[in-house]
Amino acid sequence: MRPISAPTPTTRFRRTRRSAAIRALVQENSVTTGDLIWPLFLRDGENMREPIASMPGVERLSIDQVVAAAETAADLGIPAICLFPYTDPALRTETCEEAWNPENLTNRAIRAIKAAVPEVAIMTDVALDPYNSLGHDGLVRDGIILNDETVQALVRMALVQADAGADIIGPSDMMDGRIGAIRAGLEGAGHKDVAILSYAAKYASAFYGPFRDAVGASGALKGDKKTYQMNPANSDEALRLVERDLREGADMVMVKPGMPYLDICRRVKDTFGAPTFAYQVSGEYAMIKGAADRGWINGEAAMMESLLAFKRAGCDGVLTYFAPAAARLLRDLH
Ligand code: PBG
């Protein structure tokens, strides 16, 4: 494409900005409810909604409440939710076996949601951090995060999630080879139609802080995740990771975090044309929400502008804690 620009007054860009009607005609990108994946936090108990201090407006929900949230998603037209468990600290171990317990919080929630609202797609998280007393996404020995042993654990974890009824498996761990291993495991177990949305280009980011509070991993985590998550300075490496994960059997890929990495979203979409998602992570949500709650920015406008930025950068959809608020706003506009 070669944009044509004649000098003023032949071209007056303001002609196409004159009125809402003309602006709508020339608008290049838009956010729809169908673009949204809503991440939800789980906790044990009955009728429990527990606020998360660093994520104003977001709560940990007991299973009955997460079923209600899934019903809200269905009513609003949000196509998918993504589940993250706050695991009882007593169940967190260095060997992480609660991760592949068919009766763990996530798997019980999947069954309950599927029974109540089968039309909402359920995405899961595949990583060991909510189950690991050491707070890492992988198994740790002598301070080293073990790759291949972790991959075996992740396959077990993904298979019980698929058995429970998960539609989309979301490996967020950044071990090498996990997509191929999970894909082979799913095929072998007869789950040939379960999709994988790979956290392919996931950076070692300071923007995950509030999430780690939400799943209770902040206290446990020693050190950082830099030996498995990407260096924020790198861009070409993201393309190599996405290519590798697509080859290994990912159906969709993700860039994470979102707003600080829009350049990566664009490169990934342009290079591979695969279904591409961004995760607008907890710290991004907290910044917008925190500033809005103090009256420093217009929260609704900032929320919609941030979501539009993902679409402009080439994303097909966004994981965002704003999903229900954005869906309500979009519904009320029409
Ligand atoms: C970990 C995981 C993280 C997030 C999703 N899965 C945190 C991390 O890698 O430490 C972050 C999501 C967010 O910040 O909203 N498996």
Side-chain angles (χ1 to χ4, degrees):
M1 185 176 65
R2 192 165 246 286
I4 295 169
S5 278
T8 309
T10 311
T11 297
R12 289 188 191 269
F13 282 99
R14 292 186 57 190
R15 285 186 205 122
T16 52
R17 297 187 202 125
R18 248 180 86 214
S19 66
I22 296 176
R23 286 194 296 275
L25 283 177
V26 301
Q27 178 159 328
E28 297 175 35
N29 297 286
S30 52
V31 180
T32 69
T33 304
D35 299 323
L36 305 172
I37 300 178
W38 182 12
L40 292 162
F41 295 106
L42 300 167
R43 56 153 295 154
D44 258 325
E46 210 26 67
N47 200 22
M48 301 284 284
R49 304 183 71 95
E50 182 184 14
I52 299 158
S54 50
M55 300 182 74
V58 178
E59 297 163 310
R60 299 186 193 105
L61 307 175
S62 54
I63 289 179
D64 56 301
Q65 295 299 306
V66 93
V67 169
E71 283 163 354
T72 301
D75 290 344
L76 289 168
I78 296 171
I81 59 174
C82 183
L83 303 178
F84 295 97
Y86 175 92
T87 308
D88 179 347
L91 296 173
R92 298 177 197 230
T93 61
E94 291 191 19
T95 41
C96 307
E97 48 286 310
E98 183 64 7
W100 52 91
N101 174 359
E103 294 305 318
N104 72 18
L105 192 53
T106 299
N107 295 318
R108 281 184 283 129
I110 294 170
R111 287 194 198 90
I113 295 164
K114 273 293 154 196
V117 253
E119 68 271 30
V120 172
I122 302 178
M123 175 171 167
T124 56
D125 185 56
V126 176
L128 300 179
D129 51 331
Y131 311 95
N132 192 342
S133 52
L134 298 171
H136 276 291
D137 292 23
L139 298 167
V140 186
R141 191 188 302 141
D142 302 330
I144 304 287
I145 318 303
L146 304 173
N147 193 87
D148 299 7
E149 292 84 342
T150 299
V151 169
Q152 293 312 310
L154 298 173
V155 172
R156 297 175 76 172
M157 184 177 179
L159 287 180
V160 294
Q161 293 173 349
D163 288 341
D167 300 286
I168 304 168
I169 302 293
S172 69
D173 56 285
M174 289 297 279
M175 298 300 122
D176 287 314
R178 90 272 206 221
I179 301 301
I182 292 171
R183 176 54 75 209
L186 290 170
E187 286 286 326
H191 290 301
K192 62 180 170 37
D193 291 329
V194 172
I196 298 176
L197 200 176
S198 168
Y199 289 60
K202 176 171 176 178
Y203 289 86
S205 172
F207 291 96
Y208 307 148
F211 174 98
R212 292 180 191 167
D213 296 341
V215 299
S218 316
L221 182 64
K222 296 207 179 38
D224 55 47
K225 300 191 178 183
K226 290 179 183 171
T227 70
Y228 46 108
Q229 299 178 348
M230 280 181 72
N231 180 345
N234 294 355
S235 173
D236 290 342
E237 185 186 357
L239 300 184
R240 297 174 65 210
L241 286 164
V242 167
E243 178 177 32
R244 190 267 313 264
D245 284 4
L246 289 171
R247 272 189 208 288
E248 288 187 14
D251 304 283
M252 304 172 260
V253 293
M254 189 201 294
V255 174
K256 177 182 176 191
M259 264 170 59
Y261 297 88
L262 292 176
D263 57 321
I264 309 299
C265 297
R266 172 49 69 194
R267 285 192 79 189
V268 166
K269 189 64 183 179
D270 284 351
T271 306
F272 301 104
T276 302
F277 292 78
Y279 198 142
Q280 183 178 46
V281 300
S282 55
E284 300 176 67
Y285 172 85
M287 287 194 301
I288 294 174
K289 196 79 171 109
D293 288 352
R294 284 161 184 76
W296 294 344
I297 56 172
N298 175 332
E300 276 188 355
M303 165 179 81
M304 294 313 290
E305 186 177 329
S306 70
L307 296 175
L308 189 56
F310 295 113
K311 298 299 297 294
R312 197 188 60 240
C315 293
D316 297 282
V318 191
L319 286 93
T320 175
Y321 303 98
F322 286 121
R328 283 198 184 90
L329 197 65
L330 289 166
R331 179 194 59 191
D332 296 345
L333 289 176
H334 292 297

